[in-house]
Amino acid sequence: METKARNSIKRGVAIALTVTSVVLVLMMIFGVMMLLNQGNIIKIPPQLFYQVMTIHGTGMIGIASLGGSAIMWYFLSKYIHLNPKIFFTNLILTLIGVVMILTGIFVFKFSDGWTFLYPLPSASAKIYGSTGALLFLFGLLILGIGYLIMYFYIAARLIKEYGGLGKSLGWDYIFRGKKGYGPPSAVVASTMVIIANSVGILAGATALVESILNILNPNLTFDPMMAKHLTYAFGHIFANCTIYMAVIAVYEILSEYTGRPWKSNKAFLIAWNFSTLFTLMIYTHHLLMDFAVPEWMLIIGQIFSYANGLPVMVVTAYGALMIVFRSAVKWDFASSMMYLAMFGWVAGAVPAIIDATIVVNHVMHNTKWVPGHFHTYMGMGVIAMIFGFMYYFNKTEGTQKQNSVDKLAIAVYFLFFSGIAGSFLYAGKISVPRRWAEHLPEWTASDQVGAVCGILVIVSAVIFTIRYIMGLRTVGKKDQEQSLKSAS
Ligand code: HEM
Ligand SMILES: [Cu+2]
C-alpha cells in the first residue's frame, strides 16, 4: 500500500513535469514570434501579436507554477503523508482552465494581457463578444480554485502534523527559544507559499469575479483602482511564489548531493518569516505610477520591495555556498542547474530592486527593462530549477545517466538566456516601451539579437524535454522491477 501511494505521487509529478516542459517549449516559440515581429523580420497583425502576448504571459506564469508545485509536492510528501488525489485534482482543474484560456484567446480573440486589468476585459468583450473574455476569466478562476484546494489541503495536513502553521514556520524556535533546528526546509517553504499564495489567489479571484459580473451585467460596476490593487496583489504574489516552490529543489538536491543536511537554523527561519510578510505587502510597487494611491502605500511598496526577496535569497545563496564548500559534491546536471539557477535568481533581483525605486520607476516601468528583470529570474532561476529537477527525478526514480549533449545544452541555455535578458535590459535602457507590437527602426536591433538567442534557448529546451520524456521510461522500468521484487 505504501509503495502504491508513493507510486501515484510519482506519477502525478511525472505528468505535471511533462505538461510543464512541453508547454514551456510552445510558449518559448510564441516568445520568439513576438521578437521576430518587433524586430521586423516577420509581420503578424497587431491583434495576433497581443493574443500571442496574452498566451505567452499566462502560459509561462501558469507552467512555472505547475512545475514549482510538482517540486513542492514531491519533496513535501517525503516528510508528511499527502493524498495523491489532491494533486491530480489540481492538475485536472489546471488542464481544464488551460483549454478554456486557449480557446478564449485563439478562437475568440481575447488579447488583454495575462493581467486582465478591469475594465479592459469588459471593454474588449464589447468589441469581440463576451465569449472570449468569459472563457479566459473563468479559465483562470478554475485554475485558481485548483490551487486553493491543494493549498488548503496541505495547510490542513501541516496543521495536523506540526500543530499549526506558526509551528511549521518555526515560531517555536524564533519566539519561544526552542533549541536545535526547525522543521525541514521543504516544510518551511511550503508553509510560506500556501499562506502567501492563498491570499493572492483569493484577491485575484475577487478581481476575476468583478470582471465577469461586469461583463454579464454592465450595470454592475466596480472601483477600477480597487480592482487594480486586487489584480496586482494576485499577479505579484503568484509569480513570486513560483520561485518559493521551486527553491525547495535547491535545498533538497544540494543537501543530498553533498551528504549534508540543509538545516533550518534561526536565520533561515527568520528569513522565511520576513519573506512571507513582505511578499504580501509589496505589490504596490506595480502602482507607483498611480497618483491616486495614498503615498504611504507607495512608500511601503518601495521600502519593502528592497527587503522582500533579500532575506530568503541571502540565506539560500549563503547556504548554497556553505553546503558545497569543501564538500564532496558531485557536479552533474541537477546540481549544476541548481547552482546556476541560484545565480540567475540573484541576478534577476538586481534590476527589480532598481525598478522598485520610485524615481527610477517613473522612467523605467513601462519599458522592456521590466520584462528584462523577470525573464532573468524566471528563465534562469525558476525554469532552470524545474529543468534541473526533471533530470534529478529521472535519475533518482529511474536510472537515467547524464551525457555530453546534456552538458552542452545547459551551457547553451544559460549563455543564450543571458542574451535574451540582456537584449531586453538594453532595450529598456534605450527606452523601448514594453508591450508594443510595432517597434521603431532604431529599436529593432535589440529584438533581432533577442530572437536569435531565443531560438538557441528553444533548441536546448527541446533537448531537455526530449531527454526528460525518454528518461521517464527508466522510471517505469525501475518501478516494475521493484514491485516484482516485493511480490516474490
Ligand atoms: C525563449 C524564451 C523567451 C522569449 C524569447 C520570450 C519573449 C518575450 C517577449 C518578446 C515578451 C514581450 C515583451 C514586450 O513587452 O515587448 C515576453 C513577455 C513575457 N514573458 Fe517571455 N520570453 C521567453 C521566456 C519566458 C519565460 C521562461 C517566462 C516565465 C516563466 C516568460 C514570461 C513572460 C511574461 C510573464 C511576459 C509578460 C507578458 C505581458 O506583458 O503581458 N517568458 N516574453
Ligand atoms: Cu511585483
Side-chain angles (χ1 to χ4, degrees), residues 157-221:
R157 291 295 309 128
L158 286 171
I159 290 168
K160 188 94 190 296
E161 299 277 340
Y162 289 90
L165 294 179
K167 287 215 164 80
S168 58
L169 269 178
W171 288 6
D172 282 351
Y173 300 83
I174 299 173
F175 301 118
R176 298 193 196 88
K178 198 166 163 186
K179 292 280 173 285
Y181 295 105
S185 50
V187 169
V188 177
S190 305
T191 310
M192 183 273 180
V193 169
I194 56 182
I195 294 173
N197 229 359
S198 301
V199 175
I201 293 172
L202 285 172
T206 312
L208 285 170
V209 170
E210 286 186 353
S211 265
I212 290 171
L213 290 177
N214 182 251
I215 290 173
L216 294 177
N217 179 359
N219 292 325
L220 280 174
T221 54

Side-chain angles (χ1 to χ4, degrees), residues 291-320:
F291 51 82
V293 176
E295 201 159 329
W296 61 267
M297 284 188 100
L298 300 183
I299 292 172
I300 288 184
Q302 161 155 1
I303 295 175
F304 287 94
S305 294
Y306 290 144
N308 172 44
L310 279 181
V312 166
M313 211 150 65
V314 169
V315 294
T316 307
Y318 180 75

Side-chain angles (χ1 to χ4, degrees), residues 46-342:
Q47 171 73 33
L48 181 60
F49 177 91
Y50 289 109
Q51 288 167 262
V52 166
M53 189 188 85
T54 305
I55 192 62
H56 176 84
T58 319
M60 283 296 193
I61 300 289
I63 55 105
S65 189
L66 184 64
S69 31
I71 292 177
M72 177 174 82
W73 188 263
Y74 177 82
F75 288 115
L76 196 59
S77 69
K78 297 197 158 167
Y79 301 104
I80 60 176
H81 170 79
L82 293 175
N83 182 348
K85 286 199 185 101
I86 304 289
F87 190 77
F88 280 108
T89 308
N90 182 35
L91 195 59
I92 289 165
L93 289 176
T94 297
L95 289 176
I96 295 176
V98 167
V99 170
M100 290 172 69
I101 290 168
L102 280 171
T103 316
I105 291 176
F106 285 114
V107 182
F108 296 95
K109 299 210 154 93
F110 182 79
S111 54
D112 295 8
W114 80 279
T115 43
F116 58 86
L117 200 57
Y118 174 90
L120 256 182
S122 332
S124 69
K126 289 192 187 99
I127 305 172
Y128 302 107
S130 23
T131 319
L134 287 177
L135 275 170
F136 181 88
L137 298 168
F138 271 112
L140 271 191
L141 199 58
I142 288 176
L143 222 138
I145 291 169
Y147 276 97
L148 280 183
I149 293 173
M150 183 171 75
Y151 289 147
F152 284 174
Y153 170 77
I154 296 178
R157 291 295 309 128
L158 286 171
I159 290 168
K160 188 94 190 296
E161 299 277 340
Y162 289 90
L165 294 179
K167 287 215 164 80
S168 58
L169 269 178
W171 288 6
D172 282 351
Y173 300 83
I174 299 173
F175 301 118
R176 298 193 196 88
K178 198 166 163 186
K179 292 280 173 285
Y181 295 105
S185 50
V187 169
V188 177
S190 305
T191 310
M192 183 273 180
V193 169
I194 56 182
I195 294 173
N197 229 359
S198 301
V199 175
I201 293 172
L202 285 172
T206 312
L208 285 170
V209 170
E210 286 186 353
S211 265
I212 290 171
L213 290 177
N214 182 251
I215 290 173
L216 294 177
N217 179 359
N219 292 325
L220 280 174
T221 54
F222 301 90
D223 179 2
M225 196 71 236
M226 186 62 193
K228 186 168 181 185
H229 276 269
L230 292 168
T231 308
Y232 277 96
F234 157 73
H236 170 82
I237 296 171
F238 198 77
N240 254 216
C241 280
T242 60
I243 193 127
Y244 293 124
M245 293 191 278
V247 78
I248 295 173
V250 173
Y251 299 147
E252 292 279 343
I253 293 174
L254 287 184
S255 126
E256 190 182 314
Y257 276 45
T258 53
R260 297 169 170 180
W262 191 298
K263 296 193 178 107
S264 45
N265 57 23
K266 214 162 164 177
F268 180 90
L269 295 170
I270 291 174
W272 275 90
N273 275 272
F274 272 129
S275 280
T276 312
L277 199 64
F278 295 167
T279 301
L280 294 171
M281 287 165 55
I282 63 168
Y283 71 88
T284 49
H285 60 210
H286 296 276
L287 287 81
L288 295 180
M289 301 185 107
D290 295 279
F291 51 82
V293 176
E295 201 159 329
W296 61 267
M297 284 188 100
L298 300 183
I299 292 172
I300 288 184
Q302 161 155 1
I303 295 175
F304 287 94
S305 294
Y306 290 144
N308 172 44
L310 279 181
V312 166
M313 211 150 65
V314 169
V315 294
T316 307
Y318 180 75
L321 289 173
M322 282 304 112
I323 203 167
V324 168
F325 185 62
R326 291 199 175 153
S327 75
V329 64
K330 205 185 142 320
W331 292 111
D332 71 356
F333 192 107
S335 50
S336 352
M337 274 305 235
M338 292 306 145
Y339 222 69
L340 290 167
M342 275 288 325

